[in-house]
């Protein structure tokens, strides 16, 4: 599972929920598990199993801060520096792209909402005129 956000059209509701809980840390996972047990015990059990399987339960609280790509040194310091710089650049570009996609989604949502409000206003005007 990627430790980075995936564009929304690829994400399902479970992936968005996982990312949302990850952003809030281990306490959010524990609260979700407890609520799962309270409302529907198989859901709580499934969350507990997932937390243990994905190592969210024990000691991986700083998961996002870790480097995503780690390879042992090759012994060639110039190549290792080049590789580290290239990976950092790619991660920065990925982060910028994800931010760009988020802004596009927000703009699309705003345009759809504005269209809804305009149509709603026209419908209200027609009803008042009748």
């Amino acid at each position: 599972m990627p430790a980075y956000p995936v564009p929304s059209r690829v994400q399902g509701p479970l992936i968005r929920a996982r990312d949302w809980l990850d952003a809030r840390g281990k306490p959010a996972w524990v609260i979700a598990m407890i609520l799962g047990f309270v409302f529907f015990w198989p859901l709580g059990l499934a969350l507990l199993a997932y937390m243990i399987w994905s190592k969210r339960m024990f000691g991986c609280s700083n998961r996002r801060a870790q480097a995503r790509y780690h390879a042992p040194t090759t012994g060639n310091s110039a190549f290792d520096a080049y590789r580290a710089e290239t990976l950092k650049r790619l991660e920065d570009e990925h982060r910028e792209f994800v931010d760009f996609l988020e802004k596009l989604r927000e703009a699309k949502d705003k345009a759809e909402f504005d269209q809804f409000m305009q149509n709603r206003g026209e419908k209200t005007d027609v009803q008042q005129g009748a």
Side-chain angles (χ1 to χ4, degrees), residues 62-81:
N62 204 5
R63 179 182 323 277
R64 290 188 186 266
Q66 297 173 356
R68 241 185 315 227
Y69 307 104
H70 178 71
T73 62
T74 61
N76 184 330
S77 60
F79 175 76
D80 289 341

Side-chain angles (χ1 to χ4, degrees), residues 1 19 30 42-43 48 52 54 81 92 98-99 108-109:
M1 289 187 191
D19 291 343
V30 172
L43 177 62
L48 176 62
I52 292 171
S54 66
D92 291 344
V98 169
D99 292 342
K108 179 183 172 207
D109 289 348

Side-chain angles (χ1 to χ4, degrees), residues 36-85:
F37 275 115
V38 168
F39 291 110
F40 186 62
W41 70 265
L43 177 62
L45 191 60
L47 277 171
L48 176 62
Y50 179 73
M51 288 170 62
I52 292 171
W53 172 76
S54 66
K55 297 183 175 62
R56 282 172 170 76
M57 180 71 105
F58 305 108
C60 290
S61 62
N62 204 5
R63 179 182 323 277
R64 290 188 186 266
Q66 297 173 356
R68 241 185 315 227
Y69 307 104
H70 178 71
T73 62
T74 61
N76 184 330
S77 60
F79 175 76
D80 289 341
Y82 167 77
R83 179 178 57 189
E85 181 181 322

